Amino acid sequence: MPYQWILLGLASLIAIGILLHHPSRTLGIPSLLIFMGVGLSIGNGEFNFVYDNLAVTSLVGSFALNIIVFVGGINTPLQSIKVAYKEGGVLSSLGVVFTSFIFAAIFYLIFDYDFIYCLLFAAVVSSTDAAAVFSILESKKLKLKESTDTVLEFESATNDPVALIMVVILTALSLSPDSGVSAMEISQTLAVQVIGGLAIGFIVGKVCVLALSKISLQEYGLIPVFVLACFILATYGSELAGGNVLIACYVSGVVIGNGLKRGKEVNKHFFNSLSWLAQAVMFIILGLQIFPQQLLDVLWVALVPSAILMLVARPLAVQLCYLPFRQATWKKRLFISSIGLKGATPIVFALIPAAAGVEGALEMMHMVFFVVLYSVFIQGAAIEPLAKKLKLNQDES
């Protein structure tokens, strides 16, 4: 197919998704479902066009996720980090690990799957989605007591790196189950990933801010272009050095977003638009990759992992994470444990073992699709009523 048709088709799909965005918000339908629905309706043979390329989908999804995480960092004020880093940091690290092991143990007892496969499935769906959390909190205009919304936003913005590390390690283990990996090797990998991502993200972010403060660019439009170049340097420089890509994205975004003075608003608007474009492309290509007829085979089976995640693994993991924070009320703990919104991130993570050829990974990806779908509809719809029921809204006594 000529590239002109590909570009025309992609631009048309994005335009349709954007035009449907406003009415979808009015009806309370997340943009994820709109863009993904557009992809699902087009790329599965209905219009003599079939898209099926796991490697390209994984690459595009990963790059789009990097942009979204970077923009999340740009939009995170240091004040929010100071308020939420303790609780949010525990939730985004230990919370992901606890959720994964609790989910995997129950899933292993119910289904006849290998435990590594169960743990891989758990890691894929363990993190909450920043785009989904930000979108729903903003659309509902929710401001919650005890900085509950700030903690949720911080957790969702920072828990992807731990989940990604687990997915990559477990994918390698699934492909070579006899090779074995020692606890020391896993610890070393984690240390290199975390320290490398933090260091490179921080250094590139600081250099970017320093350069822009010393060199007053006359054309304001060049500022976001320079920041974009620094984002790519931080992201893929970290990857080449063995650091975690998502940590580098987020840290460099935070440093640049809070350090930039001149052209800050121009930069913010540019990257918010870029984030929307990244989300649109990611959701559409995920929709193109997934075949509706294959989804029907796991429609009801996927209820089980969804229930395990929403009713047991997430609530129990959050309660464990909050053991050191005795000042947090039971209402705050209950709300956070009940709201573990999923988005496109688990589907992007599910593409990693699928593209690598892990046995059963395609079935996993289809089940993850429904886990995300059930989460968006059930947990997304529950946010506002639950906040009112627990009297966590700031405008309520």
Side-chain angles (χ1 to χ4, degrees):
M1 180 182 291
Y3 74 90
Q4 293 94 334
W5 283 111
I6 295 173
L7 291 175
L8 284 170
L10 184 60
S12 300
L13 293 177
I14 292 171
I16 292 168
I18 290 172
L19 291 174
L20 291 172
H21 174 63
H22 181 71
S24 74
R25 287 192 67 175
T26 305
L27 297 171
I29 302 172
S31 57
L32 175 152
L33 298 181
I34 297 297
F35 287 113
M36 195 172 285
V38 169
L40 279 168
S41 64
I42 299 294
N44 300 293
E46 291 81 356
F47 299 91
N48 295 321
F49 169 67
V50 177
Y51 173 84
D52 185 13
N53 193 322
L54 284 169
V56 171
T57 304
S58 181
L59 181 65
V60 172
S62 298
F63 185 71
L65 183 61
N66 294 340
I67 293 173
I68 293 166
V69 171
F70 177 71
V71 177
I74 285 177
N75 291 325
T76 303
L78 281 177
Q79 184 58 37
S80 296
I81 295 175
K82 290 174 183 176
V83 168
Y85 79 94
K86 290 181 181 178
E87 294 176 27
V90 173
L91 286 170
S92 65
S93 53
L94 291 178
V96 170
V97 176
F98 291 156
T99 301
S100 298
F101 277 95
I102 294 167
F103 178 98
I106 299 171
F107 199 68
Y108 178 72
L109 292 173
I110 296 174
F111 292 98
D112 187 26
Y113 289 117
D114 180 76
F115 185 70
I116 294 296
Y117 179 89
C118 295
L119 200 53
L120 176 58
F121 194 144
V124 165
V125 297
S126 60
S127 66
T128 56
D129 188 80
V133 171
F134 292 156
S135 175
I136 289 181
L137 287 175
E138 183 184 354
S139 64
K140 304 289 185 184
K141 294 182 169 36
L142 285 176
K143 292 300 293 181
L144 305 177
K145 297 174 183 176
E146 301 182 58
S147 302
T148 304
D149 50 338
T150 307
V151 172
L152 277 171
E153 289 174 351
F154 184 84
E155 179 206 4
S156 65
T158 58
N159 61 8
D160 290 338
V162 176
L164 177 60
I165 292 169
M166 291 182 67
V167 170
V168 170
I169 291 173
L170 291 165
T171 297
L173 279 174
S174 299
L175 291 171
S176 305
D178 299 327
S179 62
V181 179
S182 68
M184 180 61 71
E185 288 176 311
I186 293 175
S187 299
Q188 288 175 345
T189 301
L190 284 171
V192 170
Q193 288 255 320
V194 172
I195 295 170
L198 283 170
I200 293 174
F202 182 79
I203 291 168
V204 173
K206 277 293 186 185
V207 169
C208 175
V209 171
L210 185 63
L212 287 173
S213 66
K214 296 293 183 184
I215 305 168
S216 295
L217 295 171
Q218 295 302 311
E219 177 54 60
Y220 270 67
L222 291 175
I223 293 174
V225 176
F226 182 78
V227 172
L228 180 62
C230 291
F231 152 71
I232 294 172
L233 288 171
T235 303
Y236 296 101
S238 176
E239 186 174 41
L240 286 173
N244 186 275
V245 170
L246 295 179
I247 291 177
C249 289
Y250 184 73
V251 171
S252 59
V254 169
V255 173
I256 294 170
N258 286 276
L260 196 63
K261 302 302 179 189
R262 188 170 178 271
K264 187 171 185 175
E265 286 303 311
V266 173
N267 189 68
K268 186 176 179 180
H269 288 307
F270 173 85
F271 278 100
N272 283 340
S273 300
L274 189 62
S275 177
W276 268 107
L277 177 61
Q279 288 183 59
V281 172
M282 178 170 67
F283 295 151
I284 287 170
I285 199 168
L286 290 175
L288 290 171
Q289 179 63 60
I290 295 171
F291 294 85
Q293 57 269 32
Q294 295 176 349
L295 291 174
L296 295 176
D297 297 335
V298 297
L299 174 62
W300 299 112
V301 178
L303 283 169
V304 178
S306 299
I308 294 171
L309 191 62
M310 287 189 279
L311 301 177
V312 185
R314 166 75 180 182
L316 188 53
V318 170
Q319 297 305 322
L320 288 172
C321 287
Y322 265 94
L323 288 176
F325 305 106
R326 299 192 178 185
Q327 77 281 6
T329 64
W330 67 268
K331 293 180 179 181
K332 181 179 184 177
R333 299 180 191 213
L334 178 60
F335 186 84
I336 290 177
S337 65
S338 303
I339 307 301
L341 274 169
K342 309 301 171 190
T345 306
I347 304 175
V348 173
F349 286 169
L351 287 167
I352 295 172
V358 172
E359 186 178 353
L362 282 176
E363 182 188 10
M364 180 198 298
M365 186 176 74
H366 296 146
M367 282 197 282
V368 168
F369 175 83
F370 282 112
V371 169
V372 170
L373 206 61
Y374 297 144
S375 172
V376 167
F377 276 115
I378 297 171
Q379 293 179 310
I383 284 184
E384 192 172 17
L386 185 59
K388 289 182 178 178
K389 185 73 175 175
L390 295 173
K391 292 183 168 53
L392 280 173
N393 282 336
Q394 285 187 358
D395 57 354
E396 293 183 10
S397 57

